[in-house]
Every structure is written in C-alpha cells, then in structure tokens.
Amino acid sequence: MISIIFRKTSRWIFFAALVYAPWAYGATTSASINITNWVLVVALVLWGAELLSGGRRPDLPPFLLILTGALVCVGGWMALNAKSIYDSEFSLFVPLRNFVPFLTGSVDYANSAAWMLRGALLLGTILFVSDLSQSSRWLLRLWYVIGLVGGSIAFLGLLQKATGAQMIFWQPPPPPEYGVTTFFATYFYHGNAGAFLNLVWPLSAGLVIRAFTSQSQPGMRALWTIVSIVTIAGVLANTSRMAQVVALVLLVVIGLHFGPGLLRRLPGAQKSVAIAGALALVLALIALAQATHLEQPLNRWQLVSEQIPADARWQASRVALDALPGAGFFGFGPGTFRVVFPGYNIGSGHAVRGSWRFLHEDYLQTVLEWGWLGSSLWALLFFGGIAVGILSYNRYATRDWMPRRRVMQPLAIIALAGVAMHALVDFPFQIESIQLYVATYLGVCWGSVLWRDHAPRTSGQADLSPYSATRAVR
C-alpha cells in the first residue's frame, strides 16, 4: 500500500515539473531552474522509496543504465577534479587544489558542478519515464499532460501576438534601446519557444488521431482538435524561421506515416467529410494567423537573404571550431562554454561581438564541453534512443502494442528528430524545459523495447501504422 502511494505521488509530482518548467520562463532563470531541479529531486526520491518499499526492480533496458551511469561518472569526475574556478569579476581562472592534478578536470568547478546536478536529474528522468511508460494508463496520462501544457503555452503566445504585447504579460516592457522583440509566450527567446512547441505539437496531433480513431466522446475530440490547432498556430505565429522549417518537415513526415492508415480505414462517404474537416482546419489556422499578426514571421522570411549570411552565429561557430583542439578527449568540462569562449574569441583573428552564453550550434558546444568521449556518450543516449524506438516499433508494435502506444511512440521519435534538426542552428538542448521534455521522450523510446501489452482484438479500432493490426485502446 505504501509503495503504491509513493508511486502515484512521484508520478504526479513529475507531471507538475512538466507543467512548471515551460511556464516558468522555460526554466531559463536561476530561480526557475532551481525550483525545477527540486521538483525532480522529490519525484525521483519518491520513486526510489517506492522501489525500496515494494521490493520492485524497475523495468529498464540494461544498456540505458550503462549509458546513464557512464555519463554521470564522466561529468561528475570532471566537476570533482576541477582544476580551476572562474572569477567573473576579473575574468580570470583561479587555480584549485584538485584530487588528482595529473588527470583531467573541468576548467570551472562552479559551472560544471551546477550542470552535473541538473544533468544527473535529467538522466534520472529518462530512467523514471522508461519505468513509468510500462504502464499504459500512466503513459496516456503523460500524453495528456504534454498536450495540455503545449496548448496552454501556444495560447499565451497567440494572445500576446494578438494584443501587440511588448513583453511577456507579467514582465515590464524593456527599454527601447534594448529592442527585445524575440519573446514568445513564456520564453524570452523565440527560438527556444519554437523548439518547445515543435516538441509538443506532434503529440497534440496524435491525441486528435487517437480521439477520431477510437470510441472517444465528442467532447474529447473537440478538446484535442482545438488544442492541436492552437499549438500548430503557435508555431506559425512564432518568428523563429528554423522552428517553422522544422514544423513543416515534421508535418510532412507525420502525414506520410499516418495518412495512408487513416485513408485506408475511411469509407468513401467519410473521406468527403474528412476532406471538409481538413479544409475547416486550414480556414481556422488562417483566421488565427490574421488575428495573431502572421505578417511578422512572413516579413522575417522576406529578409532571409540579407540576414542569414550576416548572422553572427556563423562567425561564433568558426571561433568554436578553432577551439576544438584545446577541448581534447574529455573537453573543458560540463557547462563551461560561457567562460571558455571569450578567451578564444578575443584571441581569434575573426572575433565576434557580444557576450555568448550558448553557442548557436548545440553539437559543437557539446564537444567543447564534454570532449569526444562525453559527446559520444550523449550521442549514443539520444540517437541510440531514437534507433531503439524505431527498432522496437518495427519489431513489436503490430503484435504486442496497444493502439495508444503505436500512435504516441512514433510521434515522440519524430519530435526528437525535429529538435535534433533545430539544434544545428540554435541551442534548445541547453534550455532545461526543453531538456526535460527531451528526457521524457527518450524515456518513452528506451522503455518501448520492454512494452508487451498483448491487447485483445476488438472491432471499431484501427491501426494507423503501416502495419495491419487492430487492437483495443485501453
């Protein structure tokens, strides 16, 4: 009984973290990052208490345990054996008396220790969600939370666009000389908002697919249709061009994957209704676009030939490439880009102006901070999770999975592929709210290798995958 209480409490608290992080400025401020970390700590501690009190072993893939343990060891050692700490006032690295001076260590103890605390919690989140995903009921609840949070964030952004807000509603307008115009919803930077929305809108669309291919109530169908329209409209209204490109690619992939299955199960009369419904959705998106000043992102596209070649991010990436030899096999240390980059930038022959907290190229920043060893482990965790999800889907989906799993899991994979694309020109992997959702999706993908539902066949349900199977939605 106690273990059940711990289990339910830990999972609901984790859902609270999923709600809080995007709404607290995307967990980009020091206060919101700390609160998000503490919520995750409570959820993971209660999960551990549930496992101990119930004598239960979590359902986790062994290779996932090896990867997470290796990353904690590599990053933890770099922080513990730090060789210096950065003094921001004098822009100096102050030497430290570390454990083993002749072995590698981080160049900044403070940033690496803070990053590893967050990183350990995110790795624990992957394990937590992998275990949670074995329950079909809790997986559906997780899906609902993601859809509702995404819709609420998009609605706030659309409301700001419609009212011509100069800043997030509860924040004072910035001084005119700062010219801050890139915020959207609760995110100060539109690129982060776009990356987050591209993580959630595929799953919102999946809830619409599930509602119309199962025996759902009309109210549920209407709810998820509205949520999906609002979330997609949020991506369109956002001024991040890369987010819109990624959204278009995801839309095409989702259509190719689920479209044939949907058309195959519709009789001729219902196909006409479906076409009419699709046209109504397009008209609704157009109406939302007019109300939320879609001309702003369109104007940015007209300037693409002028702005992209002169964008400072390409020059910053060039400086970072020059710094790669100095990173070596182990890197400068987790979270140290912001203190390492200025020195290389000043010493380069093509210095970029301004201060750079993150590089607009997540993969290059990861190599600088983690070196070739750590970045390879992160690549195995992320892209390996996508690969495991695809293999599990191809091998088990038709025979062993319930329809909700066959709809949600490929959408999680597609969303992860989208944020991987976005990371080529931005820094979504450095934002904790996005990190949290990526960790959640990775937990679903890694956990899918253990899914075995053996759901009974019933009429009225259809498999929307390219495979032929009909199973009940539980």
Coordinates of all heavy atoms in Angstrom, one line a residue, residues 61-124:
P61 N 16.0 -0.9 -19.7 CA 16.9 -1.6 -20.6 C 18.3 -1.5 -20.0 O 18.8 -0.5 -19.5 CB 16.9 -0.8 -21.9 CG 15.6 0.0 -21.8 CD 15.4 0.3 -20.3
P62 N 19.1 -2.6 -20.0 CA 20.4 -2.6 -19.4 C 21.4 -1.6 -20.0 O 22.2 -0.9 -19.3 CB 20.9 -4.1 -19.6 CG 19.6 -4.9 -19.7 CD 18.7 -4.0 -20.4
F63 N 21.3 -1.5 -21.3 CA 22.3 -0.6 -22.0 C 22.0 0.9 -21.6 O 22.9 1.7 -21.5 CB 22.2 -0.7 -23.5 CG 23.3 0.0 -24.3 CD1 24.6 -0.2 -24.0 CD2 22.9 1.0 -25.2 CE1 25.6 0.5 -24.7 CE2 23.9 1.7 -25.9 CZ 25.3 1.4 -25.6
L64 N 20.7 1.2 -21.3 CA 20.4 2.6 -20.9 C 21.0 2.8 -19.5 O 21.5 3.9 -19.3 CB 18.9 2.7 -20.8 CG 18.3 4.0 -20.2 CD1 18.8 5.2 -21.0 CD2 16.8 4.0 -20.1
L65 N 21.0 1.9 -18.6 CA 21.6 2.0 -17.3 C 23.1 2.2 -17.5 O 23.7 3.1 -16.8 CB 21.4 0.8 -16.5 CG 20.0 0.7 -15.8 CD1 19.8 -0.7 -15.2 CD2 19.8 1.7 -14.8
I66 N 23.8 1.5 -18.4 CA 25.2 1.7 -18.6 C 25.5 3.1 -19.1 O 26.5 3.7 -18.7 CB 25.7 0.6 -19.6 CG1 25.6 -0.8 -19.0 CG2 27.2 0.9 -20.0 CD1 25.9 -1.9 -20.0
L67 N 24.7 3.6 -20.1 CA 25.0 4.9 -20.7 C 24.8 6.0 -19.6 O 25.6 6.9 -19.5 CB 24.0 5.1 -21.8 CG 24.4 4.5 -23.2 CD1 23.3 4.8 -24.2 CD2 25.8 5.1 -23.7
T68 N 23.7 5.9 -18.9 CA 23.5 7.0 -17.9 C 24.5 7.0 -16.8 O 25.0 8.0 -16.3 CB 22.1 6.8 -17.2 OG1 21.9 5.5 -16.7 CG2 21.0 7.1 -18.3
G69 N 24.9 5.8 -16.4 CA 26.0 5.6 -15.4 C 27.3 6.2 -15.9 O 28.0 6.9 -15.1
A70 N 27.6 5.9 -17.1 CA 28.9 6.4 -17.7 C 28.9 7.9 -17.8 O 29.9 8.6 -17.5 CB 29.1 5.8 -19.1
L71 N 27.8 8.5 -18.2 CA 27.7 10.0 -18.3 C 27.8 10.6 -16.9 O 28.5 11.7 -16.8 CB 26.4 10.4 -19.0 CG 26.4 10.2 -20.5 CD1 25.0 10.3 -21.0 CD2 27.3 11.3 -21.1
V72 N 27.2 10.1 -15.9 CA 27.3 10.6 -14.6 C 28.8 10.5 -14.1 O 29.3 11.4 -13.5 CB 26.4 9.9 -13.6 CG1 26.7 10.3 -12.1 CG2 24.9 10.2 -13.9
C73 N 29.4 9.4 -14.4 CA 30.8 9.2 -13.9 C 31.8 10.2 -14.7 O 32.6 10.8 -14.0 CB 31.3 7.8 -14.2 SG 30.5 6.6 -13.1
V74 N 31.6 10.3 -16.0 CA 32.5 11.2 -16.7 C 32.3 12.7 -16.3 O 33.2 13.4 -16.0 CB 32.3 11.1 -18.2 CG1 33.0 12.1 -19.0 CG2 32.7 9.7 -18.7
G75 N 31.0 13.1 -16.3 CA 30.8 14.5 -15.9 C 31.0 14.8 -14.5 O 31.6 15.9 -14.1
G76 N 30.7 13.8 -13.6 CA 30.9 14.0 -12.2 C 32.4 14.1 -11.9 O 32.9 14.9 -11.0
W77 N 33.3 13.3 -12.6 CA 34.7 13.4 -12.3 C 35.3 14.7 -12.8 O 36.1 15.3 -12.1 CB 35.4 12.2 -13.1 CG 36.9 12.4 -13.0 CD1 37.7 12.8 -14.0 CD2 37.7 12.1 -11.9 NE1 39.0 12.9 -13.5 CE2 39.1 12.5 -12.2 CE3 37.5 11.7 -10.6 CZ2 40.1 12.3 -11.4 CZ3 38.5 11.6 -9.7 CH2 39.9 11.9 -10.1
M78 N 34.8 15.2 -13.9 CA 35.3 16.5 -14.4 C 35.0 17.6 -13.4 O 35.8 18.5 -13.2 CB 34.6 16.8 -15.8 CG 35.1 15.9 -16.9 SD 36.8 16.1 -17.4 CE 36.8 17.7 -18.1
A79 N 33.8 17.5 -12.8 CA 33.4 18.6 -11.8 C 34.2 18.4 -10.5 O 34.7 19.4 -10.0 CB 31.9 18.5 -11.5
L80 N 34.4 17.2 -10.0 CA 35.0 16.9 -8.8 C 36.5 17.2 -8.9 O 37.2 17.6 -7.9 CB 34.8 15.5 -8.3 CG 33.4 15.2 -7.8 CD1 33.3 13.7 -7.5 CD2 33.1 16.0 -6.6
N81 N 37.1 16.9 -10.0 CA 38.6 17.1 -10.2 C 38.9 18.4 -10.9 O 39.9 18.5 -11.6 CB 39.2 15.9 -11.0 CG 40.7 15.8 -10.8 OD1 41.2 15.9 -9.7 ND2 41.4 15.7 -11.9
A82 N 38.0 19.4 -10.8 CA 38.2 20.7 -11.5 C 39.5 21.3 -11.1 O 39.9 21.3 -10.0 CB 37.0 21.6 -11.1
K83 N 40.1 21.9 -12.1 CA 41.5 22.4 -12.0 C 41.4 23.9 -11.6 O 42.4 24.5 -11.1 CB 42.3 22.3 -13.3 CG 42.5 20.8 -13.6 CD 43.3 20.7 -14.9 CE 43.7 19.3 -15.2 NZ 44.5 18.6 -14.2
S84 N 40.2 24.5 -11.8 CA 40.2 26.0 -11.5 C 38.7 26.4 -11.3 O 37.8 25.6 -11.6 CB 40.8 26.8 -12.6 OG 40.2 26.5 -13.9
I85 N 38.5 27.6 -10.9 CA 37.2 28.2 -10.9 C 37.2 29.6 -11.5 O 38.2 30.3 -11.3 CB 36.7 28.2 -9.4 CG1 35.2 28.7 -9.4 CG2 37.5 29.2 -8.6 CD1 34.5 28.5 -8.0
Y86 N 36.2 29.9 -12.2 CA 36.2 31.2 -13.0 C 35.8 32.3 -12.1 O 34.7 32.3 -11.5 CB 35.4 31.1 -14.2 CG 35.4 32.2 -15.2 CD1 36.5 32.5 -15.9 CD2 34.3 33.1 -15.3 CE1 36.6 33.5 -16.8 CE2 34.4 34.2 -16.1 CZ 35.5 34.4 -16.9 OH 35.6 35.5 -17.8
D87 N 36.6 33.4 -12.1 CA 36.2 34.6 -11.4 C 35.7 35.6 -12.5 O 36.4 36.2 -13.3 CB 37.5 35.2 -10.8 CG 37.2 36.4 -9.9 OD1 36.1 37.1 -10.2 OD2 37.9 36.7 -8.9
S88 N 34.4 35.8 -12.5 CA 33.7 36.6 -13.5 C 34.0 38.1 -13.3 O 34.0 38.8 -14.3 CB 32.2 36.4 -13.4 OG 31.7 36.7 -12.2
E89 N 34.3 38.5 -12.1 CA 34.6 39.9 -11.9 C 35.9 40.3 -12.6 O 36.0 41.4 -13.2 CB 34.7 40.2 -10.4 CG 34.9 41.7 -10.1 CD 34.8 42.0 -8.6 OE1 34.6 41.1 -7.8 OE2 35.1 43.2 -8.2
F90 N 36.9 39.5 -12.5 CA 38.2 39.8 -13.1 C 38.5 39.0 -14.4 O 39.6 39.1 -15.0 CB 39.3 39.6 -12.1 CG 39.3 40.5 -10.9 CD1 38.7 40.0 -9.7 CD2 39.7 41.8 -11.0 CE1 38.6 40.8 -8.6 CE2 39.6 42.6 -9.9 CZ 39.1 42.1 -8.7
S91 N 37.5 38.2 -14.8 CA 37.7 37.3 -16.0 C 39.0 36.5 -15.9 O 39.8 36.4 -16.8 CB 37.7 38.2 -17.3 OG 36.5 38.9 -17.4
L92 N 39.2 35.8 -14.8 CA 40.3 35.0 -14.5 C 40.0 33.6 -14.1 O 38.9 33.4 -13.4 CB 41.3 35.6 -13.5 CG 41.9 37.0 -13.8 CD1 42.6 37.5 -12.6 CD2 42.9 36.8 -15.0
F93 N 40.8 32.6 -14.4 CA 40.6 31.3 -13.9 C 41.5 31.1 -12.7 O 42.8 31.1 -12.8 CB 41.0 30.2 -15.0 CG 40.0 30.1 -16.1 CD1 40.2 30.9 -17.2 CD2 38.8 29.4 -16.0 CE1 39.2 30.8 -18.3 CE2 37.9 29.3 -17.0 CZ 38.1 30.0 -18.1
V94 N 40.9 30.9 -11.5 CA 41.7 30.8 -10.3 C 42.0 29.3 -10.0 O 41.1 28.5 -9.9 CB 40.9 31.4 -9.1 CG1 41.7 31.3 -7.8 CG2 40.5 32.8 -9.3
P95 N 43.3 29.0 -9.9 CA 43.6 27.5 -9.8 C 43.0 27.0 -8.5 O 42.9 27.6 -7.4 CB 45.1 27.5 -9.7 CG 45.5 28.8 -10.4 CD 44.5 29.8 -10.0
L96 N 42.7 25.7 -8.5 CA 42.2 24.9 -7.4 C 43.1 23.8 -7.0 O 43.8 23.2 -7.9 CB 40.8 24.4 -7.6 CG 39.6 25.4 -7.8 CD1 38.3 24.7 -8.1 CD2 39.5 26.3 -6.5
R97 N 43.1 23.4 -5.8 CA 43.9 22.2 -5.4 C 42.9 21.0 -5.6 O 42.1 20.7 -4.7 CB 44.3 22.3 -3.9 CG 45.2 21.2 -3.5 CD 45.7 21.4 -2.1 NE 46.5 22.6 -2.0 CZ 47.0 23.1 -0.8 NH1 46.7 22.5 0.3 NH2 47.7 24.2 -0.8
N98 N 43.1 20.3 -6.7 CA 42.2 19.2 -7.0 C 42.7 17.9 -6.5 O 43.8 17.8 -6.0 CB 41.9 19.2 -8.6 CG 43.2 19.0 -9.4 OD1 44.3 19.1 -8.8 ND2 43.0 18.9 -10.7
F99 N 41.9 16.8 -6.7 CA 42.2 15.5 -6.2 C 43.4 14.9 -6.9 O 44.4 14.5 -6.2 CB 41.0 14.5 -6.4 CG 39.8 14.9 -5.6 CD1 38.7 15.5 -6.2 CD2 39.8 14.7 -4.2 CE1 37.6 15.8 -5.4 CE2 38.7 15.1 -3.4 CZ 37.6 15.6 -4.0
V100 N 43.4 14.8 -8.2 CA 44.5 14.2 -8.9 C 45.0 15.2 -10.0 O 44.4 15.2 -11.1 CB 44.0 12.8 -9.6 CG1 45.2 12.1 -10.1 CG2 43.2 12.0 -8.6
P101 N 46.0 15.9 -9.7 CA 46.4 17.0 -10.6 C 46.8 16.5 -12.0 O 46.6 17.3 -12.9 CB 47.6 17.7 -9.8 CG 47.4 17.3 -8.4 CD 46.7 16.0 -8.4
F102 N 47.4 15.3 -12.1 CA 47.8 14.9 -13.4 C 46.7 14.3 -14.3 O 47.0 14.0 -15.4 CB 49.0 13.9 -13.2 CG 48.6 12.6 -12.5 CD1 48.0 11.6 -13.1 CD2 48.8 12.6 -11.1 CE1 47.7 10.4 -12.5 CE2 48.4 11.4 -10.4 CZ 47.9 10.3 -11.1
L103 N 45.5 14.2 -13.7 CA 44.4 13.7 -14.5 C 43.5 14.9 -14.9 O 43.5 16.0 -14.3 CB 43.5 12.7 -13.7 CG 44.2 11.4 -13.5 CD1 43.3 10.5 -12.7 CD2 44.6 10.7 -14.8
T104 N 42.7 14.7 -15.9 CA 41.8 15.8 -16.5 C 40.8 16.3 -15.5 O 40.4 15.5 -14.6 CB 41.1 15.3 -17.8 OG1 40.5 16.4 -18.4 CG2 40.1 14.3 -17.5
G105 N 40.3 17.5 -15.7 CA 39.3 18.1 -14.8 C 38.7 19.3 -15.5 O 39.3 19.9 -16.5
S106 N 37.6 19.8 -15.0 CA 36.9 21.0 -15.6 C 37.8 22.2 -15.3 O 38.5 22.3 -14.3 CB 35.5 21.1 -15.0 OG 35.0 22.3 -15.4
V107 N 37.6 23.2 -16.2 CA 38.3 24.5 -16.0 C 37.5 25.4 -15.1 O 38.0 26.4 -14.7 CB 38.5 25.2 -17.4 CG1 39.4 24.3 -18.3 CG2 37.2 25.5 -18.1
D108 N 36.2 25.0 -14.8 CA 35.4 25.9 -13.9 C 34.5 24.9 -13.0 O 33.5 24.4 -13.5 CB 34.5 26.8 -14.7 CG 33.7 27.7 -13.8 OD1 34.1 27.9 -12.7 OD2 32.7 28.2 -14.3
Y109 N 34.9 24.9 -11.8 CA 34.2 24.0 -10.9 C 32.7 24.4 -10.7 O 31.8 23.5 -10.7 CB 34.9 24.0 -9.5 CG 34.0 23.3 -8.4 CD1 34.0 21.9 -8.3 CD2 33.3 24.1 -7.5 CE1 33.2 21.3 -7.3 CE2 32.6 23.5 -6.5 CZ 32.5 22.1 -6.4 OH 31.7 21.5 -5.5
A110 N 32.4 25.6 -10.6 CA 31.1 26.1 -10.2 C 30.1 25.7 -11.3 O 29.0 25.1 -11.1 CB 31.1 27.6 -10.0
N111 N 30.4 26.1 -12.6 CA 29.5 25.8 -13.7 C 29.4 24.3 -13.9 O 28.3 23.8 -14.2 CB 30.0 26.5 -15.0 CG 29.5 27.9 -15.1 OD1 28.4 28.2 -14.8 ND2 30.4 28.8 -15.4
S112 N 30.5 23.5 -13.8 CA 30.4 22.1 -14.1 C 29.6 21.4 -13.0 O 28.8 20.5 -13.2 CB 31.8 21.5 -14.1 OG 32.4 21.9 -15.3
A113 N 29.8 21.8 -11.7 CA 29.0 21.2 -10.6 C 27.5 21.4 -10.8 O 26.7 20.6 -10.6 CB 29.5 21.7 -9.3
A114 N 27.2 22.7 -11.1 CA 25.8 23.0 -11.3 C 25.2 22.3 -12.5 O 24.0 21.8 -12.4 CB 25.6 24.6 -11.5
W115 N 25.9 22.2 -13.6 CA 25.4 21.5 -14.7 C 25.2 20.0 -14.4 O 24.2 19.4 -14.9 CB 26.3 21.6 -15.9 CG 25.6 21.4 -17.3 CD1 25.2 22.4 -18.1 CD2 25.2 20.2 -17.8 NE1 24.6 21.8 -19.2 CE2 24.6 20.4 -19.0 CE3 25.3 18.8 -17.4 CZ2 24.0 19.4 -19.8 CZ3 24.8 17.8 -18.2 CH2 24.2 18.1 -19.4
M116 N 26.2 19.4 -13.7 CA 26.1 18.0 -13.4 C 24.9 17.6 -12.5 O 24.3 16.5 -12.6 CB 27.4 17.4 -12.9 CG 28.4 17.1 -13.9 SD 27.7 16.1 -15.3 CE 27.1 14.7 -14.5
L117 N 24.6 18.6 -11.6 CA 23.4 18.3 -10.8 C 22.2 18.2 -11.7 O 21.3 17.3 -11.5 CB 23.2 19.5 -9.8 CG 21.9 19.5 -9.0 CD1 21.8 18.2 -8.1 CD2 21.8 20.8 -8.1
R118 N 22.0 19.2 -12.6 CA 20.9 19.2 -13.5 C 21.0 17.9 -14.4 O 20.0 17.3 -14.6 CB 20.9 20.4 -14.3 CG 19.6 20.5 -15.2 CD 19.8 21.4 -16.4 NE 20.2 22.8 -16.1 CZ 20.3 23.7 -17.0 NH1 20.0 23.5 -18.3 NH2 20.8 24.9 -16.7
G119 N 22.2 17.7 -14.9 CA 22.3 16.5 -15.8 C 22.0 15.2 -15.2 O 21.3 14.3 -15.8
A120 N 22.4 15.0 -13.9 CA 22.0 13.8 -13.2 C 20.5 13.6 -13.0 O 20.0 12.5 -13.2 CB 22.7 13.8 -11.9
L121 N 19.9 14.8 -12.8 CA 18.4 14.7 -12.6 C 17.7 14.4 -13.9 O 16.7 13.6 -14.0 CB 17.9 16.0 -12.1 CG 18.3 16.4 -10.6 CD1 17.9 17.8 -10.3 CD2 17.7 15.4 -9.7
L122 N 18.3 14.9 -15.0 CA 17.7 14.6 -16.3 C 17.9 13.2 -16.7 O 17.0 12.5 -17.3 CB 18.3 15.6 -17.4 CG 17.9 17.0 -17.3 CD1 18.7 17.9 -18.2 CD2 16.4 17.2 -17.5
L123 N 19.1 12.7 -16.4 CA 19.4 11.2 -16.7 C 18.4 10.4 -15.8 O 17.9 9.3 -16.3 CB 20.8 10.9 -16.4 CG 21.8 11.6 -17.4 CD1 23.2 11.4 -16.9 CD2 21.7 11.0 -18.8
G124 N 18.2 10.8 -14.6 CA 17.3 10.1 -13.7 C 15.9 10.1 -14.3 O 15.1 9.2 -14.2

